[in-house]
């Protein structure tokens, strides 16, 4: 191993762990500032997320959302594109899913609706990502800015649609009508009756998420397109000299990314709420950024990071309940610190670790 | 009719002020080559700190100061990540937005137990509107009187400060040595470095100025326009300011007009809510809300002129390549 290089396990295991620990230490300090015992907080957090069946169910439910949005951000990252618009794409994807469910739920069972809903979510999510992608590829407008703008446009559009178009007559709250049985995904508590999931909304979308992880893994590391995406991300100039069209890769990658974000709606719209609600994405698109950064863009890493964030979300709710001075927003703080340390400050510990390993390896070389 | 116009323009000024501060903040940062997605977070953090301090110390000025301090601290985090650690500036900005969104409510709840709000501020602890000299005597003069008395007079001091900041920013950026160097590190940092300038120091200074201006923006929201902090009270203003900055092509005077335009859209949306426009019918309020974003996308696509950011913005500067 040459100087300055690190073994793979350090790069993919130790460094992210150090970043994560730093984020947790600062979070713990915040709890101390509030005047509570951080260890007590951790205890309630872990108990709330994993201590009983319903908690586990909620943890898995949240994790499902984050797997979809995390994969969306990660796929774009592989092409060197920062898709900050997962939130908007998920939101509009939910519209596609809701439209399919509203059209089919009264006539067919859920398993016939399901593939169409997947297609609807993916299609709408991809469509919402297409415009920023096209503008970046063809007209040079920066994808970060355009996807941010598209988040807000999506929000305005959905408020309009929900409160003027999709709202059932005679009701006041902006949402679509409730789907009939044909538009509802089975909940795991009804499928695996031997395990006590309580009232948690974890549903079949969890398995869809895992399946999508496998598909993304195959796509990125075992197809020609995946190779092109990664080459383009590593060095766009070299990739285009090698005959990879920057326009095509940018657009195709963003379509895939948007489709993945759009699928998130399956879990919430078709699985939990069984209708289209305002702001149902609830920031999951942004959590995807933290998840993708922490998971280093790899599906396995993303599953682990999603589980961690699912745990934080569910445990955070329990924490807020048990220790009222710590509000649910503690999760947002932890999330921010994870993004900060695992993303923006990812190289902070690297020099020290490199120095440590260099000394270690030179010692063994001399001996 | 004149009354309505004055009313809409009056609220345009009020709604433009936080955008203008934030937009100028972004201008300093991006002119130096640091992309700042975290404007929103700094505004929010400042708004909370300002309201909390104004309440505790019963003074809007201490509130403003606290807002500036917190905003500058957040700016320094961004600076440390993106200048010293050469991290991804967008990721860092996103982190700061989340940090502010979470911490404000968390601390607000822990300190004041009002669901993340700060206690309502009494008029004495806010920036109150100022009546300019002769406003009352001139109010009865036709046309000019109401314009002077209602439109120009009667705002709080931060509104005037934001508009005063425009020529000041222009002068700093385009007429001082600091401004020249600032633009140099944003366009070509290695050339600036070769000329003996410290890219790091200049970028840090720009980041701090950005923090100060965001502090004004946030304090305006919570101790001038509002009377206390409310969860998520910045409500996307940081992003609108970012959009305005692009629209203004990173120029201060353009920034003022763009912020006025976006503020006007906002004021119009409030005014026209639920009202029929002859020939068009009722325009959904969401159209006005989305318009700044749509316009920015269209502008970025190059359909109405070209928006070219400072060349080095978003790229960490590495002093020597080995």
């Amino acid at each position: 191993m040459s100087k300055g290089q690190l073994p793979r396990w350090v790069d993919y295991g130790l460094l992210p762990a150090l970043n994560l620990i730093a984020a947790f230490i600062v979070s713990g300090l915040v709890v101390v500032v509030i005047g509570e015992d951080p260890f007590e907080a951790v205890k309630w957090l872990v108990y709330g997320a994993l201590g009983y069946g319903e908690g586990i169910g909620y943890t898995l439910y949240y994790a499902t959302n984050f797997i979809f949005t995390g994969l969306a951000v990660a796929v774009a990252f592989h092409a060197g594109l920062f898709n900050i618009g997962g939130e908007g794409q998920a939101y509009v994807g939910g519209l596609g899913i809701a439209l399919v469910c509203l059209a089919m739920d009264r006539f067919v069972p859920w398993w016939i609706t399901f593939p169409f809903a997947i297609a609807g979510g993916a299609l709408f999510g991809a469509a919402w990502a297409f415009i920023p992608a096209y503008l970046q590829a063809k007209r040079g407008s920066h994808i970060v800015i355009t996807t941010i703008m598209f988040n807000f446009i999506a929000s305005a559009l959905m408020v309009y649609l929900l409160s003027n178009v999709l709202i059932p007559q005679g009701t006041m709250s902006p949402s679509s009508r409730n789907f009939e049985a044909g538009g509802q995904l089975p909940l795991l508590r009804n499928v695996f009756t031997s395990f006590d999931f309580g009232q948690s909304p974890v549903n079949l979308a969890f398995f869809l998420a895992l399946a999508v992880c496998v598909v993304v893994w195959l796509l990125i590391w075992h197809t020609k397109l995946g190779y092109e995406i990664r080459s383009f991300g590593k060095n766009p100039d070299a990739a285009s000299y090698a005959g990879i069209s920057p326009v095509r890769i940018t657009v195709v990658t963003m379509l895939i990314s948007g489709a993945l974000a759009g699928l998130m709606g399956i879990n919430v719209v078709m699985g939990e709420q069984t209708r289209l609600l305002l702001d149902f994405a609830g920031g999951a698109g942004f959590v995807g950024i933290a998840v993708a950064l922490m998971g280093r863009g790899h599906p396995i890493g993303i599953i682990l990071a999603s589980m961690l964030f699912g745990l934080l979300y569910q445990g955070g709710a329990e924490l807020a309940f048990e220790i009222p001075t710590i509000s649910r927003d503690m999760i947002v703080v932890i999330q921010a610190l994870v993004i900060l340390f695992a993303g923006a400050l990812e190289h902070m510990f690297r020099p020290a670790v490199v120095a440590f390993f260099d000394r270690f390896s030179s010692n063994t070389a001399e001996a | 009719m004149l009354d309505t116009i004055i009313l809409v323009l009056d609220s345009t000024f009020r709604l433009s002020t936080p955008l203008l501060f934030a937009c100028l903040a972004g201008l300093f940062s991006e002119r130096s080559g640091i992309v700042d997605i975290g404007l929103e977070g700094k505004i929010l953090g400042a708004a909370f700190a300002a309201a909390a301090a104004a309440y505790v110390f019963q003074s809007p000025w201490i509130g403003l100061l606290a807002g500036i301090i917190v905003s500058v601290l957040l700016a320094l985090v961004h600076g440390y990540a993106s200048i010293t650690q050469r991290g991804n500036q967008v990721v860092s900005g996103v982190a700061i937005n989340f940090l502010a969104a979470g911490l404000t409510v968390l601390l607000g709840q822990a300190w004041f137990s009002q669901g993340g709000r700060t206690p309502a501020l009494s008029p004495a602890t806010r920036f109150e509107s100022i009546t300019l000299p002769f406003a009352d005597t001139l109010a009865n003069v036709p046309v000019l009187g109401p314009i002077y008395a209602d439109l120009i007079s009667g705002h709080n001091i931060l509104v005037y400060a934001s508009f005063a900041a425009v020529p000041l920013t222009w002068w700093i950026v385009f007429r001082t040595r600091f401004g020249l160097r600032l633009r140099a590190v944003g366009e070509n940092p290695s050339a600036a470095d070769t000329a003996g300038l410290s890219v790091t120091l200049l970028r840090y200074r720009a980041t701090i100025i950005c923090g100060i201006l965001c502090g004004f923006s946030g304090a305006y929201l919570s101790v001038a326009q509002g009377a206390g902090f409310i969860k998520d009270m910045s409500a996307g203003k940081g992003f609108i300011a970012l959009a305005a900055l692009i629209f203004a092509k990173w120029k201060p005077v353009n920034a003022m007009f763009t912020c006025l335009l976006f503020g006007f859209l906002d004021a119009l949306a409030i005014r026209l809510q639920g009202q029929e426009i002859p020939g068009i019918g009722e325009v959904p309020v969401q159209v006005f809300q989305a318009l700044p974003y749509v316009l920015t996308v269209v502008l970025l696509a190059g359909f109405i002129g070209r928006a070219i950011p400072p060349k080095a913005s978003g790229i960490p500067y590495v002093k020597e390549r080995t």
Side-chain angles (χ1 to χ4, degrees):
Chain A
M1 206 162 36
S2 63
K3 226 172 156 57
Q5 289 254 305
L6 292 171
R8 272 174 74 94
W9 68 269
V10 177
D11 232 349
Y12 289 93
L14 186 64
L15 276 173
L18 283 176
N19 292 325
L20 201 59
I21 290 168
F24 283 139
I25 289 175
V26 178
S27 311
L29 290 178
V30 173
V31 174
V32 172
V33 167
I34 290 173
E36 298 289 344
D37 179 1
F39 297 101
E40 184 82 354
V42 170
K43 197 190 87 187
W44 284 117
L45 202 109
V46 173
Y47 172 77
L50 302 171
Y52 55 105
E54 188 170 288
I56 294 174
Y58 268 104
T59 301
L60 292 178
Y61 166 75
Y62 289 124
T64 309
N65 286 340
F66 305 149
I67 291 175
F68 285 122
T69 54
L71 287 174
V73 178
V75 166
F77 261 145
H78 280 294
L81 301 165
F82 193 11
N83 177 15
I84 215 164
E87 186 78 6
Q89 290 144 17
Y91 205 2
V92 175
L95 175 68
I97 292 160
L99 291 179
V100 169
C101 290
L102 288 170
M104 300 177 73
D105 63 344
R106 294 182 218 202
F107 311 108
V108 292
W110 70 268
W111 47 269
I112 296 184
T113 315
F114 193 38
F116 289 97
I118 292 175
L123 203 68
F124 274 60
W128 204 248
F130 171 74
I131 309 166
Y134 179 82
L135 293 178
Q136 152 115 5
K138 277 283 192 189
R139 315 217 42 132
S141 46
H142 204 288
I143 205 146
V144 170
I145 303 291
T146 36
T147 47
I148 290 178
M149 300 300 147
F150 265 72
N151 282 342
F152 286 101
I153 299 171
S155 169
L157 176 74
M158 294 292 280
V159 172
Y160 173 73
L161 288 177
L162 279 170
S163 49
N164 294 297
V165 182
L166 289 168
I167 189 168
Q169 275 196 328
T171 54
M172 290 304 286
S173 74
S175 72
S176 77
R177 73 168 166 84
N178 221 355
F179 307 150
E180 306 289 329
Q184 300 184 3
L185 269 191
L187 297 171
L188 291 194
R189 66 174 188 246
N190 300 329
V191 179
F192 302 99
T193 41
S194 53
F195 188 86
D196 176 25
F197 279 113
Q199 291 302 308
S200 63
V202 60
N203 57 70
L204 283 189
F206 176 64
F207 296 107
L208 177 69
L210 296 182
V212 169
C213 281
V214 177
V215 173
V216 168
W217 177 72
L218 286 173
L219 172 80
I220 297 291
W221 282 280
H222 294 274
T223 63
K224 181 162 170 273
L225 178 64
Y227 173 75
E228 291 177 345
I229 289 174
R230 283 181 293 129
S231 328
F232 182 71
K234 283 268 188 288
N235 190 336
D237 292 334
S240 59
Y241 281 123
I244 297 169
S245 154
V247 174
R248 189 177 74 94
I249 285 298
T250 305
V251 171
V252 169
T253 310
M254 280 301 287
L255 286 179
I256 296 170
S257 175
L260 289 166
L263 286 180
M264 190 210 106
I266 294 276
N267 189 37
V268 185
V269 177
M270 200 179 171
E272 191 219 351
Q273 296 168 342
T274 64
R275 59 193 167 128
L276 191 62
L277 284 176
L278 273 190
D279 283 327
F280 78 83
F286 297 112
V287 183
I289 298 167
V291 165
L293 287 170
M294 238 179 75
R296 296 268 157 139
H298 193 282
I300 293 182
I302 286 168
I303 293 175
L304 293 174
S306 299
M307 292 292 176
L308 179 78
F309 270 99
L311 188 151
L312 288 175
Y313 264 67
Q314 167 54 17
E318 181 84 14
L319 178 66
F321 184 72
E322 294 293 339
I323 308 177
T325 43
I326 302 179
S327 76
R328 256 199 91 138
D329 299 86
M330 187 70 218
I331 321 161
V332 182
V333 176
I334 299 176
Q335 182 184 331
L337 291 167
V338 169
I339 296 179
L340 187 66
F341 282 100
L345 295 172
E346 69 174 325
H347 300 307
M348 194 162 73
F349 297 110
R350 184 177 277 271
V353 174
V354 168
F356 177 79
F357 274 89
D358 275 350
R359 177 187 289 179
F360 185 71
S361 57
S362 61
N363 281 351
T364 48
E366 280 162 25
Chain B
M1 188 61 199
L2 184 69
D3 284 355
T4 319
I5 293 173
I6 286 182
L7 219 62
V8 170
L9 291 181
D10 192 50
S11 54
T12 298
F13 279 130
R14 290 174 210 279
L15 293 165
S16 305
T17 294
L19 296 181
L20 188 48
F21 276 128
C23 190
L24 295 174
L27 191 146
F28 276 101
S29 184
E30 301 214 344
R31 278 283 182 176
S32 82
I34 304 290
V35 163
D36 200 349
I37 306 282
L39 291 175
E40 178 84 4
K42 277 179 275 204
I43 297 172
L44 196 63
F48 173 73
Y55 173 76
V56 172
F57 297 100
Q58 292 291 308
S59 157
W61 293 101
I62 296 181
L64 175 65
L65 187 69
I68 289 172
I69 290 171
V70 165
S71 174
V72 167
L73 286 177
L74 287 173
L76 286 175
V77 172
H78 186 55
Y80 178 70
S82 47
I83 303 167
T84 306
Q85 292 292 337
R86 298 198 284 270
N88 187 322
Q89 299 173 7
V90 175
V91 174
S92 164
V94 170
I96 282 168
N97 288 339
F98 276 104
L99 197 62
L103 273 182
T104 49
V105 183
L106 187 68
L107 294 178
Q109 173 65 16
W111 289 343
F112 303 108
S113 319
Q114 294 187 5
R117 290 163 170 259
T118 59
L121 296 172
S122 64
T125 55
R126 293 174 54 201
F127 287 106
E128 285 185 277
S129 44
I130 298 167
T131 309
L132 293 183
F134 312 118
D136 293 331
T137 40
L138 287 175
N140 294 322
V141 179
V143 187
L144 281 178
I147 289 180
Y148 182 73
D150 296 332
L151 193 59
I152 299 176
S153 169
H155 294 286
N156 62 66
I157 191 162
L158 293 185
V159 176
Y160 299 113
S162 74
F163 287 92
V166 175
L168 186 66
T169 303
W170 177 84
W171 182 74
I172 291 174
V173 172
F174 293 106
R175 286 292 179 274
T176 64
R177 194 159 61 168
F178 170 70
L180 179 67
R181 291 173 170 182
L182 187 82
R183 286 180 290 138
V185 294
E187 294 291 338
N188 194 340
S190 40
D193 194 9
T194 314
L197 305 176
S198 165
V199 177
T200 310
L201 189 64
L202 273 160
R203 286 190 170 176
Y204 263 110
R205 280 153 77 186
T207 312
I208 290 169
I209 296 174
C210 170
I212 294 171
L213 286 166
C214 283
F216 275 97
S217 179
Y220 175 79
L221 288 181
S222 65
V223 289
Q225 193 181 36
F229 175 83
I230 307 164
K231 182 182 168 149
D232 289 330
M233 86 180 304
S234 52
K237 291 206 171 47
F239 294 108
I240 292 261
L242 207 61
L245 183 62
I246 295 162
F247 223 80
K249 299 181 181 172
W250 295 268
K251 292 194 176 91
V253 180
N254 290 5
M256 181 181 75
F257 287 118
T258 316
C259 289
L260 281 171
L261 171 70
F262 288 178
F264 177 70
L265 288 177
D266 224 3
L268 210 58
I270 298 166
R271 184 78 201 163
L272 291 179
Q273 199 154 16
Q275 283 192 355
E276 297 272 335
I277 301 175
I280 307 173
E282 193 181 319
V283 180
V285 63
Q286 289 83 18
V287 169
F288 292 101
Q289 283 165 356
L291 212 51
Y293 305 113
V294 175
L295 286 175
T296 307
V297 170
V298 172
L299 177 84
L300 278 171
F303 291 114
I304 39 171
R306 205 96 183 88
I308 301 161
K311 243 194 219 92
S313 75
I315 308 159
Y317 179 61
V318 185
K319 199 172 169 68
E320 275 175 20
R321 293 195 187 276
T322 48

